[in-house]
Amino acid sequence: MENFHNIGTSTDWIVMVTYFLAIMLFGTYFGRYTKNTSDFFFGGRRFSWWLITMSIVATGVGSHSFVKYSAKGFEHGFSSSMTYLNDWFFIPFFMFGWLPIIVYSKVRSIPEYFEKRFNPSARFLATILLLFYMIGYIGIGFLTLGKAVIPLLPESFYIFGNIIEITLMRAIIVIAIITGIYITFGGQTAVIFTDLLQGFILLFAGFLLFILGISYVGGGQEFWDLLPLSWKLPLADFNKPSSFNFVGIFWQDAVAGSIGFLFMNQGLLMRFMACKSVNEGRKAATINILFVLPLSAIVVGNAGWLGKAMSVMDPSIVSPSTSPDEIFVVVASIVTSPGIFGFIMAALTAALMSTVDTLINATAAIFVNDVYRPIMKYAKKVYTDDKQKDKEELFAARITSMVITAAGVLSVLAFIQFPTVYEAHGYFHSTLTPPLVVAIFMGVFWKKFTAAGVITTFLGGVVLMILGARFPEVFISPFDHGIEMNPDRPYSYIRAFYNLIVCVGVGVFVTMTTFIQNYIISVIKKNNNSNTIMLIVSLIASISFLIVILGSSSFQFIFPIFIVLVPIIVAYYGKYDEELSTMLIVFLIASISFLIDILGSSFYLKEDLIFRFILPIFIVVLIPIIVTYYSKYDEELSTNGLTVYSINEAKQGFKGSKLNEKYGEKVEVKLQLSNHNEDEIMCSKNDLLKLGAAVGDLVYLSDKRKWLGGLKSIHSRFGKSHNEDGIVYLNKDQIDHGLFENDKMLIAEKEM
């Protein structure tokens, strides 16, 4: 592939540097509105749908889209767009299932939902998986940013008499520093408002590039005639080529990718959780899916289409061997003038930065909520007041943001080997999203899904996914849909299908056999040595899991440890005269010894037999028994308000009292300072009637100026009424948090 350097002029660099300075200052300015962790992570739940919509545009379009979809457009034509429009399938499940549940359950992170829905162990495992997912996503973002700017840079430069070679990793490190500055100090409010600006800019820049490109090749008809027939098709071929086909795109991008993006991308969820209400979030999702996504598909893919047309028109202008990941930059440099090219590249990098900043902020939210707070609770940390707690958590969030930025840079090393960003991103989706995607989806839409089911989905699913990666010809080939296997990256697309199937299969199997697990536990509990028995079972499951995770080469070290530990544990905890425990221990040791004897010296040559047939069975069968024994799962308690079937209960729990469904109008009010201490606002009796509200109902109070998008607003409750129509009484803390100005009118709106 042909690579490029030194594209652009000094004018372009001036435009780009100016743009980035402006973005950093813009983001830092809005950082002053961050007062606590709620502001830092969720923007105080204050923003209107249109502001969130544009923020989603910047995040979604910026999620590597310009580079990766331009690359696919250059390689395959208009069918590249189908990879970008997959959210259509699943947005209703998000709008009417996941979104209201995550908001009304008052969780601050996805792992916290797992604790409420299942148990703390599920939360712990979800935290680990989600942190891997989010940090990996950040790494993909940094990789894309690096590949986008490398063509603009020289191969090396002189500094203090030394030649410094510009490498991809060095470029990524510099980008990470720039990105980390405003996200570390700005938080979610800064992210949303910088994304608002960047969302408009990237849409404009994308369409500007398309118009200039069409003009460059001679017009719309000329552009169309230059494209080969296969580049004009809206959908990819069913099962070929092996690297880009309809089946693979559907399973990897539409199912694993889109469900993952909608249901487990903490960054996207935090956008919607920053909305003032669930209905505002639904408006944002609807506008995005119906109008913005089709426009975005054109914006992100058109450089690839133009590049193909140019390569047909004159291969000396755009070489057919151009690196696909660089085609956006190459096309933009050809069809634009100096300064305009700098503006478009600034828009590209800004779009990518908008995704990375969101992910860093979201990952920090997960760490603070699911790691830092539990640790502080365990350490019995005492705070003098809520302000001190918020101050320390905010500091922890900012430090975490810096650490996560560094971790994201390191994670690039896992993806740098792939030839294109699209392949790296696809592999990432296929391998990291299925367990959590399945667990969330089944937890929300299947009331019977149990704690044992979700934990086994996490652990057993990961085991089977690893085995599929090691032995694709055995595990994945039955699901190949006739796709030819690429030996270099076996079933890179269809791996997502296999991984989803095994995770669903494990979850369903364990949940449907709950009665068997309960029976086994009842038998074990009748024995006096039940704890010893379960300790042995747990040890076997743990070692089996470690063998698969660490690989076959590690077995030679793990197995001797296992042989040594079992007798010690039995001697310490067990009573040898207990028939059941004795028989169980002897059977387990004898079985494993017999297995090793049979395999003999060929064990290390045929260890795949162990992996394929024995260890997955151990894990999938034993883990549900372990979970059922050590944890209590109350279906009624664990599903109330946490599944799609109980959203009204969730709303009632969110409010803390009976819902008020009475229709009311919005009322314009003037602010007055009060010295009351409660988190309540006080309106007149007549205003309450207009609002359709009663004392105790929830209220959203915002600055009348709609163009602020809810920046100056608060959520509160109606307190006792008074007789001064058009007047609302707030205390100083409410005024400060709402950023209200004394001379500006406010709008009161009853929520529920």
Side-chain angles (χ1 to χ4, degrees):
M1 293 183 186
E2 187 176 352
N3 296 292
F4 296 84
H5 288 279
N6 272 323
I7 296 178
T9 65
S10 56
T11 302
D12 296 316
W13 278 105
I14 291 171
V15 171
M16 290 181 66
V17 171
T18 302
Y19 179 89
F20 284 120
L21 288 174
I23 286 292
M24 290 174 65
L25 291 172
F26 193 69
T28 304
Y29 171 79
F30 283 100
R32 69 192 182 101
Y33 295 107
T34 298
K35 305 295 184 181
N36 50 42
T37 51
S38 177
D39 294 336
F40 190 83
F41 293 132
F42 310 109
R45 278 199 325 110
R46 61 177 84 208
F47 298 114
S48 298
W49 68 267
W50 61 267
L51 188 57
I52 299 302
T53 298
M54 292 309 301
S55 182
I56 294 170
V57 170
T59 299
V61 174
S63 59
H64 341 104
S65 298
F66 274 107
V67 171
K68 89 176 192 180
Y69 294 122
S70 291
K72 285 302 159 187
F74 182 61
E75 292 179 317
H76 301 285
F78 291 154
S79 61
S80 64
S81 297
M82 68 177 290
T83 64
Y84 199 74
L85 302 175
N86 292 312
D87 292 358
W88 286 343
F89 296 103
F90 305 103
I91 199 69
F93 296 100
F94 173 80
M95 291 170 57
F96 299 101
W98 187 225
L99 177 60
I101 289 171
I102 204 78
V103 171
Y104 293 136
S105 62
K106 295 184 179 181
V107 300
R108 296 190 174 210
S109 68
I110 295 170
E112 188 177 346
Y113 170 81
F114 278 95
E115 180 170 7
K116 288 190 173 185
R117 176 69 173 83
F118 301 106
N119 59 29
S121 297
R123 178 180 186 172
F124 174 75
L125 293 172
T127 300
I128 294 174
L129 290 172
L130 198 60
L131 284 174
F132 272 112
Y133 170 80
M134 297 299 290
I135 292 172
Y137 219 133
I138 293 168
I140 292 286
F142 281 139
L143 174 64
T144 312
L145 276 163
K147 287 199 172 190
V149 301
I150 280 290
L152 308 178
L153 303 172
E155 294 185 66
S156 61
F157 65 93
Y158 288 91
I159 183 170
F160 301 122
N162 298 312
I163 299 176
I164 305 297
E165 184 181 357
I166 296 178
T167 64
L168 181 60
M169 284 304 300
R170 288 172 178 173
I172 288 170
I173 290 170
V174 174
I175 291 166
I177 293 171
I178 296 172
T179 306
I181 291 175
Y182 72 82
I183 182 61
T184 298
F185 295 98
Q188 186 74 315
T189 301
V191 171
I192 287 174
F193 275 89
T194 52
D195 280 1
L196 171 68
L197 178 62
Q198 292 177 163
F200 281 114
I201 290 175
L202 69 91
L203 287 176
F204 174 76
F207 279 110
L208 176 63
L209 177 65
F210 198 25
I211 292 169
L212 293 174
I214 293 289
S215 176
Y216 183 88
V217 299
Q221 188 61 50
E222 287 76 7
F223 164 71
W224 183 256
D225 292 339
L226 285 168
L227 293 176
L229 177 61
S230 59
W231 261 251
K232 300 176 182 178
L233 301 177
L235 302 176
D237 192 279
F238 181 75
N239 60 2
K240 58 185 182 183
S242 61
S243 61
F244 193 81
N245 52 74
F246 183 96
V247 174
I249 291 170
F250 177 78
W251 290 115
Q252 178 182 279
D253 294 341
V255 181
S258 291
I259 297 182
F261 187 69
L262 289 169
F263 282 76
M264 60 179 281
N265 189 313
Q266 181 77 17
L268 182 74
L269 287 176
M270 287 168 61
R271 288 289 190 278
F272 285 100
M273 293 165 75
C275 284
K276 71 176 187 180
S277 67
V278 169
N279 284 337
E280 289 291 294
R282 286 170 176 162
K283 289 179 185 177
T286 301
I287 298 298
N288 184 63
I289 204 74
L290 292 180
F291 300 104
V292 178
L293 268 186
L295 297 177
S296 299
I298 298 172
V299 165
V300 300
N302 74 79
W305 311 334
L306 291 168
K308 183 62 179 179
M310 292 178 188
S311 71
V312 174
M313 182 176 68
D314 188 349
S316 65
I317 299 175
V318 175
S319 172
S321 63
T322 300
S323 172
D325 280 347
E326 295 183 359
I327 194 64
F328 180 92
V329 180
V330 172
V331 169
S333 68
I334 294 171
V335 304
T336 61
S337 57
I340 300 296
F341 175 67
F343 170 74
I344 289 177
M345 289 308 303
L348 167 64
T349 49
L352 292 165
M353 285 175 64
S354 71
T355 296
V356 173
D357 63 31
T358 297
L359 294 170
I360 293 171
N361 185 260
T363 311
I366 294 169
F367 183 86
V368 169
N369 194 66
D370 301 295
V371 179
Y372 179 82
R373 283 174 179 157
I375 290 175
M376 292 298 103
K377 184 178 180 181
Y378 179 79
K380 299 180 179 179
K381 171 73 174 180
V382 178
Y383 300 97
T384 55
D385 52 33
D386 289 341
K387 288 186 177 180
Q388 185 204 3
K389 181 181 178 183
D390 268 333
K391 184 178 179 181
E392 292 191 14
E393 288 185 348
L394 188 58
F395 178 77
R398 284 170 168 154
I399 296 298
T400 302
S401 294
M402 291 188 286
V403 173
I404 287 168
T405 302
V409 172
L410 291 175
S411 72
V412 172
L413 299 173
F415 306 111
I416 206 166
Q417 60 178 315
F418 290 90
T420 67
V421 171
Y422 183 82
E423 289 188 54
H425 199 196
Y427 180 82
F428 165 77
H429 271 313
S430 299
T431 54
L432 285 179
T433 64
L436 269 171
V437 162
V438 170
I440 293 172
F441 211 82
M442 294 174 72
V444 171
F445 297 101
W446 191 18
K447 187 177 179 180
K448 296 295 182 181
F449 196 40
T450 63
V454 74
I455 291 175
T456 312
T457 298
F458 287 151
L459 299 177
V462 167
V463 165
L464 290 168
M465 286 165 55
I466 291 173
L467 294 178
R470 289 180 181 164
F471 309 104
E473 72 283 357
V474 175
F475 288 92
I476 302 181
S477 59
F479 306 92
D480 63 11
H481 288 77
I483 298 172
E484 182 182 357
M485 187 180 80
N486 181 353
D488 295 330
R489 292 181 178 82
Y491 301 117
S492 57
Y493 274 75
I494 217 66
R495 180 176 296 167
F497 181 38
Y498 164 78
N499 291 346
L500 287 163
I501 288 295
V502 295
C503 288
V504 170
V506 168
V508 171
F509 169 78
V510 172
T511 301
M512 297 301 292
T513 56
T514 299
F515 69 99
I516 298 176
Q517 297 150 31
N518 290 332
Y519 174 75
I520 294 172
I521 295 301
S522 68
V523 173
I524 293 174
K525 284 185 174 181
K526 291 177 181 178
N527 189 275
N528 293 332
N529 275 343
S530 60
N531 289 335
T532 302
I533 295 170
M534 291 308 305
L535 191 63
I536 299 298
V537 172
S538 301
L539 184 64
I540 295 169
S542 300
I543 291 177
S544 301
F545 184 78
L546 285 173
I547 291 171
V548 177
I549 295 296
L550 299 177
S552 59
S553 61
S554 64
F555 189 87
Q556 56 187 306
F557 303 105
I558 296 174
F559 186 74
I561 295 172
F562 173 79
I563 294 296
V564 172
L565 285 180
V566 168
I568 294 173
I569 293 169
V570 174
Y572 185 81
Y573 289 101
K575 296 179 181 179
Y576 197 72
D577 58 353
E578 293 293 337
E579 185 178 355
L580 180 60
S581 58
T582 301
M583 289 177 61
L584 178 64
I585 294 163
V586 171
F587 173 78
L588 290 172
I589 294 177
S591 298
I592 295 173
S593 301
F594 178 72
L595 180 64
I596 297 300
D597 266 342
I598 289 179
L599 296 175
S601 61
S602 65
F603 173 79
Y604 300 112
L605 298 176
K606 298 182 179 180
E607 71 277 8
D608 57 329
L609 296 174
I610 297 282
F611 288 132
R612 292 180 186 182
F613 303 113
I614 299 175
L615 296 185
I617 296 173
F618 276 177
I619 293 166
V620 174
V621 172
L622 297 183
I623 288 177
I625 296 173
I626 297 166
V627 175
T628 305
Y629 182 86
Y630 286 109
S631 67
K632 294 181 180 179
Y633 179 72
D634 187 325
E635 180 181 308
E636 185 175 351
L637 182 64
S638 297
T639 59
N640 187 36
L642 297 169
T643 69
V644 72
Y645 309 102
S646 56
I647 290 178
N648 279 336
E649 288 87 342
K651 291 176 68 175
Q652 190 162 307
F654 179 84
K655 181 182 179 182
S657 60
K658 188 177 179 180
L659 298 177
N660 179 0
E661 304 288 357
K662 186 178 179 181
Y663 175 79
E665 59 186 86
K666 298 178 182 179
V667 174
E668 191 173 312
V669 291
K670 188 175 181 180
L671 168 66
Q672 291 289 339
L673 177 63
S674 173
N675 60 0
H676 70 277
N677 296 320
E678 297 81 10
D679 185 17
E680 297 176 341
I681 71 166
M682 290 175 281
C683 291
S684 73
K685 295 177 182 178
N686 289 331
D687 287 341
L688 284 176
L689 287 172
K690 291 179 182 178
L691 289 160
V695 173
D697 287 345
L698 303 185
V699 58
Y700 176 72
L701 197 65
S702 63
D703 192 293
K704 184 182 176 182
R705 296 168 290 178
K706 291 186 178 181
W707 58 267
L708 288 173
L711 175 63
K712 299 185 177 185
S713 63
I714 60 166
H715 293 269
S716 188
R717 291 181 183 273
F718 291 107
K720 62 182 181 180
S721 59
H722 54 75
N723 295 316
E724 301 173 81
D725 293 346
I727 301 294
V728 60
Y729 285 97
L730 282 76
N731 60 37
K732 188 177 183 305
D733 286 342
Q734 291 173 319
I735 294 172
D736 291 343
H737 188 259
L739 310 170
F740 295 133
E741 301 173 45
N742 288 327
D743 60 337
K744 303 297 182 182
M745 297 299 292
L746 306 179
I747 298 292
E749 179 182 355
K750 185 204 74 178
E751 294 187 283
M752 61 176 73

